[in-house]
Amino acid sequence: LPSINGNIKIENISFNFIRNQPYVLSNINLQIKSGQFVGIVGQSGSGKSTLVKLLPRLYKPNQGKILVDGYDIDKVELYSLRRQIGIVPQEPLLFAGTINENIALTDPEAKSDEIVQAAKTANAHEFIMNLENGYSTKVGERGAGLSGGQKQRIAIARTLLSNPKLLIMDEATSALDYDTEKNVCEGLKTACKGSTVLFITHRLSTVKNADLIVMLHKGLISEVGRHDELMQLKGRYYALFMQQESS
């Protein structure tokens, strides 16, 4: 796979984990343009994480195909696909070593200012500087000594350092408070301009300004559009948004 722009086309995708069991995703059709910031939302169990895991071929669909810049991802070398995709999972894996080393894993040759800039975009620079030894602070296995939100922000900074053309945020800000998550989201929109970003979140208000919002419900795409368009529909997105706003 050559260097990608990040255009994604999902055609008639269906997937289940166990043969002859109900599909987790059914007849998914979706087109995402290069450079779009896409919010993927829905209730727990709606298929959000499963959908994005199909892109780096962590799962293989039972039916249909996925095209990236017109290339069928099932027919390209796996490494050539994955090296252009950045994934930040909900439970990031950090290693015993310094903060600096953990961020620089995706680019060991990165300069200090590049590491700092990635940390700033991930809203991590301030708390890192408040640690006893700043970026030289050592953490234990799995990030022992850091909070869940701090670990997530370091993982985000690490992924941003590699400048992926396709960035998948799979509940990667779930441990952050609303204001911090919103700041991270806005930082990504600026720093990843030109890259395609898929942002999975339970907080619908975080992705209000997304270029596109995809609402999943029981393995189906329920609604697709911008925030204002979906609110006017007064469907599932509207109901869930109003429920969250009032709680």
Side-chain angles (χ1 to χ4, degrees):
L1 184 69
S3 180
I4 64 173
N5 293 315
N7 292 292
I8 301 168
K9 189 174 184 182
I10 299 174
E11 297 183 345
N12 302 314
I13 286 290
S14 293
F15 171 79
N16 62 6
F17 292 100
I18 303 172
R19 188 178 295 274
N20 299 323
Q21 291 294 311
Y23 282 123
V24 178
L25 296 170
S26 299
N27 195 34
I28 300 293
N29 287 278
L30 181 64
Q31 192 149 0
I32 297 169
K33 296 178 182 177
S34 170
Q36 281 190 318
F37 189 100
V38 181
I40 300 179
V41 300
Q43 301 279 19
S44 295
S46 60
K48 303 184 297 295
S49 292
T50 303
L51 177 61
V52 298
K53 286 176 180 175
L54 294 173
L55 288 164
R57 280 168 48 188
L58 296 176
Y59 300 145
K60 185 175 181 178
N62 300 66
Q63 301 172 13
K65 62 183 178 179
I66 299 175
L67 305 175
V68 174
D69 288 2
Y71 293 91
D72 185 340
I73 64 169
D74 197 40
K75 297 178 180 178
V76 300
E77 289 183 1
L78 189 57
Y79 172 76
S80 70
L81 172 70
R82 289 184 179 173
R83 69 183 173 84
Q84 301 189 67
I85 300 176
I87 305 176
V88 188
Q90 183 175 358
E91 297 291 339
L93 181 60
L94 301 188
F95 301 90
T98 66
I99 300 284
N100 194 85
E101 289 168 340
N102 268 282
I103 295 176
L105 274 172
T106 54
D107 185 2
E109 304 299 320
K111 298 176 182 177
S112 294
D113 59 337
E114 293 173 326
I115 293 172
V116 169
Q117 184 54 54
K120 285 181 176 178
T121 302
N123 213 11
H125 178 71
E126 185 175 346
F127 89 75
I128 292 173
M129 293 305 295
N130 286 331
L131 297 174
E132 184 177 357
N133 296 308
Y135 284 82
S136 297
T137 301
K138 290 189 176 183
V139 297
E141 286 287 349
R142 299 186 178 274
L146 299 176
S147 70
Q150 289 172 336
K151 287 188 282 188
Q152 284 187 333
R153 281 177 280 175
I154 289 173
I156 294 169
R158 170 200 293 167
T159 305
L160 290 175
L161 193 63
S162 65
N163 293 313
K165 292 300 294 181
L166 174 55
L167 175 62
I168 297 172
M169 301 281 289
D170 188 3
E171 298 279 9
T173 54
S174 60
L176 305 181
D177 60 65
Y178 170 72
D179 288 334
T180 304
E181 182 184 44
K182 187 177 180 181
N183 289 337
V184 170
C185 191
E186 292 303 316
L188 288 176
K189 290 189 72 173
T190 302
C192 297
K193 203 168 183 65
S195 296
T196 304
V197 180
L198 306 182
F199 195 98
I200 296 178
T201 181
H202 279 292
R203 297 188 187 111
L204 272 58
S205 54
T206 307
V207 292
K208 276 177 63 176
N209 296 320
D211 300 310
L212 190 70
I213 297 172
V214 180
M215 178 81 182
L216 288 172
H217 178 71
K218 294 183 178 179
L220 299 168
I221 292 183
S222 174
E223 298 161 21
V224 179
R226 295 178 64 90
H227 171 77
D228 292 345
E229 296 169 342
L230 299 185
M231 291 299 285
Q232 288 177 5
L233 288 177
K234 294 197 173 180
R236 287 195 174 92
Y237 178 87
Y238 172 86
L240 187 57
F241 185 86
M242 296 304 293
Q243 176 186 332
Q244 290 185 2
E245 288 291 291
S246 61
S247 63

